[in-house]
């Protein structure tokens, strides 16, 4: 076996291997370009196998086999032209011209059996060469507009086409001038092999090769993804993800962010300000979002005929998309698309899903960073407000401390040492009014904080029954007949300090507005599943029916109360209602003038055990 | 007038301890008298609290900020410190920390007009707190309660 024969056999083997691979793929996934590629290699291999079989069997090639071979050979540029159109788009006129030239060549080959006139051979060769070189040019020109995997594939195809052109050129020259036959054979075989490999790599890159090409793009995307959340605005991040996805897939990419409020996926306009919204399940992106699964759509216009015009206008033909989802939070959709169907393969589904998952991580981190910033800004604003209030409170209380303390000190001495001749009555008024001023300041500050939502603090498990009983004994002490009935185990989550404040306020009211010897009743019980109930009853002056609806309003007090000594600012019940309501509870009053008054409080009962488990 | 008030009969606090006749001007102080260090930048409060405590039979030392208070602790060896928190020069937090770092175990009662009296007291490991404006009964009760448990090392 000569070296030449070895090269020839090797070439054929490679051709056969490629043909099997591409034909298998064409039958498995019969997309137009897969079929074209399969036919291209199938035909080539058929010619090779056929001629070797004929040679091996010692059959003299006859006119019929020659015609078949010639016709099949000329189908090769035809499929090449189709593939060029599929991949890069050639004009309709070019396609028509190319197709007719090829048809003409086949006719010429059939019409002129060998030995053919030189001119016919030269013309047929020229058509072949022109078509292949044209295809090479088309692919080369397209390189500019592609990137990543696609760019590499285009390069390989352009190279393959150039090799094929050279094969035909050499063969034609050989046919015209038999003197160069030896050299011609070597060149043809080498070039044919180069063509086969280039085409295989370009048209039908095996999965391993695609992965290898995608890997660096993917790696750079993943590396960059770690920094993306801190990059700047969400728009900039979206643009970066799109760029990375485009590089990794070799097509274009666009990311639609889910706008919960508007119910649309928002896509950034390419090269224009603003966004356009897609309402799921509209368009393929909307369908991907709605169904929450990746999709591979070979021909968008055919897959979604209602919107064919949209896809055409945006040059979208093949679409590979995946939902961007973080846990159960649906964030959006990432789609890779291209005007050229062969740019993606089904394998890209996995890649796009991977990119979408990465995008989810990036967007989620970004959202968390935004959220943290919002919380910080809110806290800052709250703190500033709080600072003002706290500062005001501090400054009001400081002089009050001296006034109350000094007044009480004077009162003590005056009582202890009547010989001093101090005006006890006057000093007592001073003490009383300064204490009242303290209550007013406290009420005012509580009401301000209530309105800012700052009054009620963190909740902790509290035995409300015990709290109520303790407050009642502390407030009423020995001053009054007191009946306390509190069920054991009334435990719920609440701000015990503030609930204490409510019960204290109700008891203070009850004591103010009832005769000194009358009995007070305090109760706490569980009201079925309704929660925890507390009531404070007195046998006092009662509240007129006309006042009842307003009793919890600001600056209100019963119209039958004319003793100014009783009153704070009338904010006590307003604050109590606020505290109860911020616990998710309810406060109301029942009263009969002259009979007495009962205030009711209902607090939701949070199962303490369950909450504790959640906290663990 | 002041002198008259200070030298008047001791209050509840004085009555409880034998020979508890207190005098702010020192001199013949009985050795077992409870000395209270009052720290506050507000002159009026400082004056009022000092008078009231003296009147109740306690010995009193005063300081207007944390730094003065540290000097007073070294000099007077108080049994208890009533500590305002927001003060110029050295605030209550720094004072309390320095005090603990030095290993002094004098009980501290925080005395503040801010919202967070209880929290701040917990923060600096104080024995108690008085939210301004307080009643005198509370002031005297607090001093009595915590001065008793002086935690000297």
């Amino acid at each position: 076996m000569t070296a030449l024969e070895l090269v020839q056999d090797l070439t054929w083997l490679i051709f056969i291997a490629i043909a099997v691979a591409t034909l298998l793929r064409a039958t498995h996934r019969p997309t137009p370009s897969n079929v074209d590629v399969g036919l291209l290699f199938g035909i080539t291999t058929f010619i090779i196998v056929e001629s070797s079989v004929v040679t091996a069997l010692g059959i003299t090639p006859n006119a019929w086999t020659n015609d078949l071979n010639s016709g099949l050979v000329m189908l090769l540029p035809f499929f090449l032209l189709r593939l060029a159109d599929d991949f890069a788009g050639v004009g309709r006129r070019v396609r028509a011209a190319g197709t007719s030239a090829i048809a003409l060549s086949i006719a010429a080959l059939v019409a002129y059996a060998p030995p053919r006139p030189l001119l016919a051979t030269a013309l047929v060769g020229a058509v072949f060469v022109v078509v292949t070189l044209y295809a090479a040019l088309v692919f080369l020109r397209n390189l500019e507009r592609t990137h990543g995997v696609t760019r590499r594939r285009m390069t390989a195809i352009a190279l393959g086409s150039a090799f094929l052109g050279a094969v035909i050129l050499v063969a034609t020259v050989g046919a015209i001038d038999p003197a160069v036959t030896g050299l011609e054979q070597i060149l043809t075989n080498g070039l044919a092999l180069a063509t086969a490999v280039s085409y295989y790599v370009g048209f039908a890159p095996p999965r391993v090769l695609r992965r290898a090409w995608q890997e660096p793009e993917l790696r750079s995307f993943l590396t960059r993804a770690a920094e993306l959340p801190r990059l700047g605005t969400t728009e900039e991040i979206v643009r970066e993800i799109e760029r990375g996805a485009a590089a990794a897939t070799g097509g274009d990419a666009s990311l639609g962010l889910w706008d919960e409020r508007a119910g649309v996926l928002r896509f950034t306009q390419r090269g224009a300000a603003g966004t356009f919204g897609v309402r799921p399940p509209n368009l393929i992106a909307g369908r991907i979002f709605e169904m929450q699964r990746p999709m591979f759509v070979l021909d968008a216009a055919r897959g979604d005929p209602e919107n064919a015009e949209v896809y055409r206008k945006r040059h979208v033909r093949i679409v590979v998309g995946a939902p961007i989802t973080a846990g159960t939070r649906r964030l959006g959709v990432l789609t890779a698309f291209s005007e050229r169907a062969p740019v993606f393969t089904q394998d890209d589904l996995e890649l796009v899903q991977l990119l979408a998952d990465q995008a989810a991580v990036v967007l989620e981190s970004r959202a968390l960073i935004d959220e943290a910033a919002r919380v910080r800004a809110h806290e800052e604003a709250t703190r500033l407000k709080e600072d003002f209030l706290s500062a005001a409170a501090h400054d009001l209380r400081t002089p009050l401390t001296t006034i109350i303390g000094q007044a009480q000190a004077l009162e003590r001495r005056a009582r202890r040492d009547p010989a001093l001749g101090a005006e006890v009555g006057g000093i007592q008024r001073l003490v009383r009014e300064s204490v009242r001023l303290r209550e007013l300041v406290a009420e005012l500050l509580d009401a301000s904080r209530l309105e800012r939502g700052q009054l009620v603090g963190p909740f902790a498990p509290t035995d409300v029954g015990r709290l109520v009983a303790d407050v009642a004994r502390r407030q009423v002490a020995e001053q009054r007949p007191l009946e306390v009935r509190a069920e054991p185990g009334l435990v719920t989550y609440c701000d015990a300090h503030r609930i204490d404040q409510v019960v204290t306020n109700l008891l203070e009211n009850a004591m103010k507005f009832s005769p000194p010897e009358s009995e007070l009743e305090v109760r706490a019980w569980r009201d079925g599943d309704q929660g925890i109930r507390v009531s404070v009853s007195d046998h006092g002056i009662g509240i007129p029916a006309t006042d009842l609806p307003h009793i919890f309003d600001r600056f209100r007090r019963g119209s039958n109360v004319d003793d100014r000594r009783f009153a704070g600012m009338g904010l006590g019940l307003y604050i109590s209602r606020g505290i109860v309501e911020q616990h998710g509870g309810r406060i109301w009053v029942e009263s009969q003038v002259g009979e007495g008054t009962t205030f009711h409080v209902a607090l939701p009962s949070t199962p303490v055990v369950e909450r504790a488990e959640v906290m663990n | 007038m002041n002198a008259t008030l200070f030298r008047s009969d001791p209050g509840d606090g004085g009555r409880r301890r034998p020979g508890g006749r207190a005098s702010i001007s020192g001199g013949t102080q009985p050795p077992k008298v409870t000395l209270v260090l009052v720290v506050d930048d507000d002159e009026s409060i400082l004056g009022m609290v000092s008078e009231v405590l003296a009147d109740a039979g306690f010995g009193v030392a005063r300081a207007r900020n944390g730094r003065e208070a540290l000097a007073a602790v070294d000099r007077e060896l108080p049994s208890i410190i009533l500590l305002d928190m927001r003060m110029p020069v050295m605030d209550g937090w720094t004072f309390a920390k320095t005090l603990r770092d030095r290993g002094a175990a004098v009980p501290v009662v925080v005395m503040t007009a801010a919202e967070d009296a209880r929290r701040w007291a917990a923060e600096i490991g104080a024995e108690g707190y008085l939210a301004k404006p307080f009643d005198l009964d509370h002031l005297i009760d607090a001093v009595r309660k915590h001065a008793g448990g002086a935690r000297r090392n």
Side-chain angles (χ1 to χ4, degrees):
Chain A
M1 191 187 268
T2 63
L4 187 66
E5 282 169 338
L6 191 70
V7 172
Q8 194 159 36
D9 288 349
L10 195 63
T11 312
W12 291 354
L13 273 177
I14 290 172
F15 261 109
I16 291 167
I18 295 174
V20 170
T22 53
L23 281 168
L24 272 178
R25 183 174 331 170
T27 47
H28 190 56
R29 279 175 197 152
T31 66
S33 56
N34 277 353
V35 170
D36 284 350
V37 171
L39 285 174
L40 191 71
F41 283 104
I43 291 167
T44 316
T45 313
F46 176 81
I47 295 168
I48 292 165
V49 171
E50 187 240 41
S51 60
S52 354
V53 167
V54 166
T55 316
L57 294 180
I59 300 168
T60 323
N62 57 24
W64 188 81
T65 53
N66 268 336
D67 286 350
L68 181 70
N69 279 353
S70 309
L72 286 175
V73 166
M74 282 318 287
L75 278 179
L76 297 181
F78 173 69
F79 285 119
L80 188 59
L81 199 63
R82 276 174 55 105
L83 281 168
D85 187 33
D86 225 8
F87 260 88
V90 299
R92 196 176 294 175
R93 252 181 247 167
V94 176
R95 213 165 50 201
T99 312
S100 8
I102 290 163
L104 211 65
S105 308
I106 294 174
L109 285 174
V110 174
Y112 300 98
R116 296 188 178 99
L118 264 185
L119 189 66
T121 310
L123 265 175
V124 170
V127 167
F128 208 126
V129 171
V130 165
V131 169
T132 48
L133 290 183
Y134 174 76
L137 257 177
V138 167
F139 287 118
L140 268 180
R141 213 180 46 204
N142 216 43
L143 269 183
E144 288 300 305
R145 292 195 281 129
T146 57
H147 43 252
V149 189
T150 311
R151 194 186 178 98
R152 290 184 171 144
R153 292 175 63 192
M154 291 288 176
T155 315
I157 295 169
L159 265 176
S161 301
F163 288 139
L164 186 61
V167 170
I168 306 300
L169 192 65
V170 172
T172 312
V173 170
I176 293 167
D177 184 357
V180 294
T181 304
L183 183 68
E184 175 232 319
Q185 277 214 327
I186 300 171
L187 266 176
T188 320
N189 279 315
L191 286 170
L193 187 63
T195 308
V197 172
S198 304
Y199 271 0
Y200 182 54
V201 162
F203 280 127
R207 202 186 169 123
V208 185
L209 196 59
R210 279 181 69 87
R211 284 284 150 84
W213 281 339
Q214 284 168 342
E215 208 247 69
E217 309 281 2
L218 192 59
R219 188 192 296 267
S220 87
F221 175 79
L222 292 179
T223 311
R224 192 137 176 65
E227 304 156 9
L228 277 181
R230 259 165 275 274
L231 198 71
T233 63
T234 306
E235 287 73 48
E236 282 165 338
I237 289 167
V238 165
R239 225 167 298 144
E240 277 298 314
I241 293 173
E242 287 177 342
R243 208 171 302 156
T249 57
D252 284 321
S254 66
L255 192 159
L257 279 179
W258 178 236
D259 180 342
E260 182 84 57
R261 210 168 334 146
V264 294
L265 289 162
R266 290 211 179 284
F267 288 88
T268 314
Q269 296 268 34
R270 211 50 55 86
T275 59
F276 68 93
V278 173
R279 189 174 298 277
N282 262 333
L283 295 181
I284 294 167
R287 234 182 290 164
I288 292 169
F289 183 78
E290 184 97 336
M291 298 172 74
Q292 286 291 301
R293 64 176 184 82
M295 278 189 191
F296 181 88
V297 180
L298 203 58
D299 189 337
R302 214 178 299 165
D304 182 13
E306 271 175 54
N307 296 302
E309 201 42 47
V310 178
Y311 298 117
R312 212 159 297 152
K313 232 188 265 169
R314 294 182 190 280
H315 306 288
V316 176
R317 181 147 169 225
I318 186 165
V319 180
V320 193
I324 301 174
T325 306
T328 53
R329 293 219 315 131
R330 306 192 296 172
L331 303 176
V333 168
L334 180 66
T335 56
F337 59 91
S338 175
E339 204 175 354
R340 306 293 158 209
V343 164
F344 307 132
T345 69
Q346 202 101 18
D347 296 338
D348 288 330
L349 260 183
E350 224 174 288
L351 176 69
V352 172
Q353 183 65 69
L354 176 73
L355 293 167
D357 290 345
Q358 201 59 39
V361 173
V362 171
L363 291 170
E364 191 74 345
S365 316
R366 177 69 213 174
L368 285 175
I369 291 171
D370 284 348
E371 182 62 26
R374 257 198 303 279
V375 168
R376 263 200 309 279
H378 179 74
E379 274 174 359
E380 178 76 0
T382 314
R383 204 179 57 76
L384 284 177
K385 269 188 278 178
E386 197 178 49
D387 272 355
F388 168 74
L389 208 59
S390 302
H394 185 272
D395 291 356
L396 280 168
R397 288 183 189 122
T398 299
L400 259 178
T401 309
T402 308
I403 293 170
I404 291 173
Q406 204 67 67
Q408 288 178 345
L410 284 172
E411 189 190 18
R412 285 167 167 240
R413 279 173 217 142
R415 281 172 186 277
R416 202 170 56 209
D417 200 351
L420 287 172
E423 234 195 283
V424 178
I427 294 172
Q428 276 173 340
R429 275 194 290 279
L430 199 58
V431 169
R432 200 170 55 226
E433 292 307 305
S434 61
V435 169
R436 193 173 136 206
L437 187 57
R438 175 174 66 188
E439 303 310 320
L440 294 179
V441 167
E443 276 190 7
L444 197 62
L445 292 170
D446 278 357
S448 304
R449 269 180 282 156
L450 180 73
E451 281 167 16
R452 288 160 201 261
Q454 295 169 352
L455 188 63
V456 174
F459 288 6
T462 307
D463 186 336
V464 175
R466 189 184 300 169
L467 182 146
V468 166
D470 287 349
V471 174
R473 292 196 188 101
R474 182 188 72 212
Q475 288 303 119
V476 182
E478 303 298 316
Q479 302 172 40
R480 286 289 183 90
L482 169 71
E483 190 192 330
V484 179
R485 275 195 281 167
E487 284 177 16
L490 298 177
V491 179
T492 190
Y493 276 82
C494 65
D495 177 349
H497 183 57
R498 295 301 167 194
I499 295 300
D500 182 321
Q501 184 176 350
V502 171
V503 180
T504 303
N505 174 246
L506 295 181
L507 276 163
E508 277 172 359
N509 280 341
M511 287 166 76
K512 273 183 206 164
F513 301 120
S514 61
E517 297 309 316
S518 64
E519 192 188 47
L520 301 177
E521 286 152 36
V522 177
R523 263 156 234 218
W525 72 100
R526 186 175 295 280
D527 185 14
D529 300 334
Q530 301 298 303
I532 291 168
R533 292 277 303 274
V534 174
S535 72
V536 174
S537 309
D538 66 50
H539 301 287
I541 56 173
I543 303 165
T546 46
D547 292 334
L548 280 176
H550 310 293
I551 203 76
F552 294 104
D553 291 352
R554 273 181 294 190
F555 308 118
R556 283 296 187 135
R557 62 176 68 91
S559 55
N560 55 342
V561 179
D562 54 6
D563 189 340
R564 304 300 296 177
R565 276 177 321 156
F566 280 167
M569 290 181 92
L571 284 171
L573 286 173
Y574 171 72
I575 293 165
S576 291
R577 184 186 64 176
I579 291 170
V580 170
E581 286 179 355
Q582 287 187 13
H583 277 80
R586 217 157 60 81
I587 184 168
W588 69 100
V589 61
E590 288 168 356
S591 186
Q592 284 275 302
V593 172
E595 302 266 312
T597 304
T598 300
F599 278 91
H600 295 273
V601 173
L603 287 175
S605 164
T606 325
V608 166
V609 175
E610 195 181 301
R611 283 277 297 265
E613 275 169 4
V614 170
M615 282 162 74
N616 289 337
Chain B
M1 173 77 183
N2 262 352
T4 317
L5 283 175
F6 284 141
R7 299 252 158 82
S8 66
D9 289 328
D12 298 342
R15 247 177 275 142
R16 269 184 46 174
R17 50 191 72 245
R21 197 169 266 270
S23 159
I24 197 165
S25 45
T28 55
Q29 261 185 23
K32 273 195 166 176
V33 77
T34 303
L35 184 75
V36 184
L37 173 60
V38 184
V39 192
D40 201 310
D41 63 320
D42 187 284
E43 283 293 342
S44 297
I45 293 176
L46 193 60
M48 183 271 291
V49 171
S50 303
E51 279 183 22
V52 166
L53 290 177
D55 192 35
F58 299 103
V60 177
R62 309 177 184 199
R64 271 182 297 272
N65 57 58
R67 192 182 297 166
E68 286 186 21
L70 284 174
V73 169
D74 291 343
R75 197 176 56 235
E76 314 274 348
L77 302 174
S79 309
I80 182 170
I81 300 169
L82 293 182
L83 181 67
D84 187 21
M85 296 303 282
R86 286 181 180 160
M87 292 178 293
V89 186
M90 182 190 281
D91 63 22
W93 289 272
T94 316
F95 167 77
K97 187 175 182 308
T98 315
L99 191 71
R100 300 303 184 215
D101 287 349
R102 288 181 182 184
V106 195
V108 171
V109 172
V110 164
M111 190 172 63
T112 178
E115 311 292 323
D116 307 301
R118 193 183 349 185
R119 189 160 56 84
W120 289 355
E123 258 174 40
I124 65 163
E127 272 64 19
Y129 69 91
L130 285 164
K132 293 176 184 170
F134 41 77
D135 281 320
L136 290 194
D137 291 341
H138 294 153
L139 170 70
I140 292 163
D141 286 351
V143 170
R144 261 188 210 142
K145 181 175 162 198
H146 298 294
R151 34 177 229 187
R152 286 200 177 273
N153 292 332

